[in-house]
Amino acid sequence: MATRGPKRTLTVEKVAATALQLLDDEGPAALSVRGVAAALAVRPNAIYTYVPDRAGLERAVIELVLSQSQLELLEGPARHWRKRIRDYAVSLRALLLDHPGAAMLMMSAPMDSPSALEVGERLLGVLADAGLSPTARARGVWLLIVQVVGSVALDVAETDGRRPLPPEAERVVARRQALSQLDAEVWPRSVAAVDVQASWVTSEQFVWSIDRVLDGLAAAAR
Amino acid sequence: MATRGPKRTLTVEKVAATALQLLDDEGPAALSVRGVAAALAVRPNAIYTYVPDRAGLERAVIELVLSQSQLELLEGPARHWRKRIRDYAVSLRALLLDHPGAAMLMMSAPMDSPSALEVGERLLGVLADAGLSPTARARGVWLLIVQVVGSVALDVAETDGRRPLPPEAERVVARRQALSQLDAEVWPRSVAAVDVQASWVTSEQFVWSIDRVLDGLAAAAR
DNA sequence: ACCTGAACACCGTTCAAGT
DNA sequence: ACCTGAACACCGTTCAAGT
């Protein structure tokens, strides 16, 4: 079953790593089949030996990033189930914000990679510890995945996707500036809430949201 | 202040409507500046009179779809705040699933269009009715937006984005089929939860998730 | 089995020119 | 003010050919 022959100069892993580096260093616009090929010093069509198409390249990049998440944070005593989920969510968010270009790709591909399955598998265990029924556990996993990945994606959507992102404080100031231009006659409640809405992209908002979700899941455990 | 001159053959609205129709009828791959221009029988660069770039075209499409959401569902007596939010969320999800190509675009653009602001404005009112503090209201709005839009985007990410999507039942069967291939030795809990995970893309899961979020928000109201 | 050469059918965007 | 002509610098993907 050896797949390594003398002619092979690349591997899927090397292709994915090169694509991620391109995305990290040069931004979303730089990610292309041809760009990856050039970085690897091969012709564009050589890439198709390793991925079926551009979407496959993107999936490989997503998997590479997701495989670096700190799953061990999901371990711990049953009574700490909230903290285990919160800590992992915060850690995963930090990882994705460190690869903003890859984070953008996550909402346009199925969440079915091996690492995504592993995250689901572990979360099922944590929600079992929380006392949820088998059905509620599985539904809760999806609720959490949507919230974490969706939240990061919408945060990154306000940036150019280049790494590193501007510091959080800077992004909040820019948002406050933009929001303060709103017409208070048209959107009075939004204008009154400018400071909080400016902070929608912060880790405080992220943790607050996750905590509300955890409250909702705790209620489902009776 | 009249902006309409005798030479003008197009408007932003017409450009956006054409782009949406292209997206709806031909799928995500068909949406391009050149494609829209061709459909309008003008040269590609004529489009730049109406939108600054391709991202601007996408934002115009998003706004066109979002402007069609049934905001009136958010009205009603204070004690029905949960039902108002749930009904609106279900309705918005149906709208987005009816324009899957546009739904895909929503996670890669800032949520700052007039209609997005209007949704936030109304939700602030509903969460005030729910008894949440001003800060909790504003944080809750973002939690809800992330869950609703993120959920639809991840559902659509499993399809080719062509309209109409396969019926929900068909998508669930395909998911169950794929999930049932998993190795029970590697992902035992996931294999045990195949039926529920297959139904992650259903409206039942969507409503369940929203209800958990509403439970969490209700708890925040004390 | 893997990579190359060459081509096809596209893109977004710019700038000067016309009206 | 708005649209066109023409061009630039790219794309993803295919297929036959080489080794």
Side-chain angles (χ1 to χ4, degrees), chain B residues 7-9 42-43 45-46 49-50:
Chain B
K7 303 289 233 9
R8 170 163 272 187
T9 62
V42 295
R43 302 302 138 206
N45 41 6
T49 303
Y50 303 94

Side-chain angles (χ1 to χ4, degrees), chain A residues 187-194 196-197 200, chain B residues 74 84-85 117-142 144-145:
Chain A
W187 297 296
R189 293 175 189 277
S190 300
V191 168
V194 160
V196 183
Q197 294 206 15
W200 277 354
Chain B
L74 287 173
R84 289 155 65 194
I85 291 175
L117 283 166
E118 191 62 35
V119 172
E121 179 74 15
R122 309 278 191 120
L123 280 174
L124 281 172
V126 184
L127 292 183
D129 286 351
L132 270 69
S133 73
T135 297
R137 281 173 224 164
R139 293 224 177 285
V141 168
W142 191 235
L144 284 164
I145 288 174

Side-chain angles (χ1 to χ4, degrees), chain A:
Chain A
M1 281 308 168
T3 55
R4 186 174 289 268
K7 302 289 234 8
R8 168 163 274 191
T9 62
L10 303 175
T11 62
V12 221
E13 290 80 15
K14 191 98 181 81
V15 169
T18 304
L20 178 58
Q21 194 160 22
L22 207 52
L23 203 50
D24 283 342
D25 296 347
E26 313 289 339
L31 180 63
S32 66
V33 174
R34 297 179 99 106
V36 171
L40 289 165
V42 296
R43 303 301 139 205
N45 41 6
I47 301 300
Y48 291 90
T49 305
Y50 302 94
V51 294
D53 50 23
R54 195 207 147 103
L57 179 64
E58 294 183 355
R59 276 189 273 106
V61 170
I62 292 168
E63 171 60 11
L64 177 56
V65 172
L66 206 53
S67 72
Q68 294 166 30
S69 88
Q70 300 183 280
L71 286 169
E72 67 274 13
L73 293 174
L74 287 172
E75 291 162 18
R79 70 179 185 285
H80 287 164
W81 67 273
R82 280 171 177 267
K83 177 173 163 51
R84 289 155 65 194
I85 291 175
R86 192 187 305 113
D87 288 352
Y88 176 72
V90 167
S91 163
L92 177 55
R93 176 171 185 265
L95 172 66
L96 295 177
L97 289 180
D98 196 39
H99 298 284
M104 300 179 82
L105 301 177
M106 289 199 67
M107 297 300 297
S108 50
M111 285 280 308
D112 60 0
S113 72
S115 291
L117 283 165
E118 191 62 36
V119 172
E121 179 75 14
R122 307 280 190 118
L123 279 174
L124 281 172
V126 184
L127 292 183
D129 286 351
L132 269 69
S133 74
T135 296
R137 279 174 223 164
R139 294 224 175 286
V141 168
W142 189 236
L143 165 55
L144 284 164
I145 288 174
V146 167
Q147 189 62 36
V148 171
V149 181
S151 168
V152 177
L154 280 176
D155 285 359
V156 172
E158 301 199 355
T159 75
D160 62 4
R162 304 286 303 266
R163 181 205 208 196
L165 293 183
E168 189 173 277
E170 206 171 295
R171 284 182 281 133
V172 171
V173 168
R175 281 179 59 81
R176 187 172 10 242
Q177 161 65 18
L179 287 165
S180 65
Q181 309 296 320
L182 295 184
D183 187 339
E185 307 246 328
V186 185
W187 297 296
R189 293 175 189 277
S190 300
V191 168
V194 160
D195 283 341
V196 183
Q197 294 206 15
S199 77
W200 277 354
V201 297
T202 63
S203 73
E204 282 77 18
Q205 166 75 53
F206 178 80
V207 170
W208 189 93
S209 291
I210 295 296
D211 278 340
R212 297 295 72 71
V213 168
L214 294 176
D215 284 351
L217 290 173
R222 194 100 33 253

